[in-house]
Structures are given as structure tokens and as C-alpha cells.
Amino acid sequence: MPWATQWLGSHLFATAPTVFYGGVLLMCSLSYYLLQTAVLRQAGRDSALVALFGRDLKGKLSVATYLLGHLE
């Protein structure tokens, strides 16, 4: 991620670094969502952790937003 950030910072508004950085952000949000899903499944349906996260609309929207931004 630091390499992508540096590349984007030194080539502002260039297409390739922007698309690459968006892809890195997409992969980060997707990996976090998958990790969270695995942890919540391991905790069980009746755990306090599952109740705390609820439906996690923000997490799902975050991944969808990065995906839409990357496809554009």
C-alpha cells in the first residue's frame, strides 16, 4: 500500500496510478469484509459480537462503492 500511495502522490490525476490505488483499496475492503465474516461465523449466531455488527450495511456498501469506482 505505501508503494501505491507514493506512486499516486507523485503522479496526481494520472490514470494508471489512480486505477491501481483504487484496486488496492478494493482488495483491502474486500479482505476486511471476508475476515469479519469468518470471525462472525466462528463466534456463532447468538454471540454479542454478531449482535454488535448487525447487518453491517456500511461494510457491504463500502465494498460495493470501491467496486463501482474501480469499474468506472
Side-chain angles (χ1 to χ4, degrees), residues 4 19 21 29-30 35 39 45 50 52 59 65:
V19 169
Y21 190 72
S29 68
L30 184 61
L35 176 65
V39 168
R45 289 184 176 211
V50 172
L52 178 69
T65 303

Side-chain angles (χ1 to χ4, degrees), residues 15-71:
T15 302
T18 304
V19 169
F20 183 75
Y21 190 72
V24 169
L25 293 178
L26 172 64
M27 292 299 121
C28 289
S29 68
L30 184 61
S31 64
Y32 179 80
Y33 178 74
L34 292 174
L35 176 65
Q36 175 185 320
T37 302
V39 168
L40 292 177
R41 283 187 182 161
Q42 191 70 26
R45 289 184 176 211
D46 297 327
S47 73
L49 191 59
V50 172
L52 178 69
F53 277 93
R55 292 178 38 209
D56 190 33
L57 185 60
K58 182 183 174 201
K60 292 173 186 169
L61 284 175
S62 182
V63 173
T65 303
Y66 282 125
L67 182 60
L68 287 174
H70 195 68
L71 293 176

Side-chain angles (χ1 to χ4, degrees), residues 5-12 17:
T5 305
Q6 189 272 332
W7 189 31
L8 180 65
S10 62
H11 298 90
L12 289 177

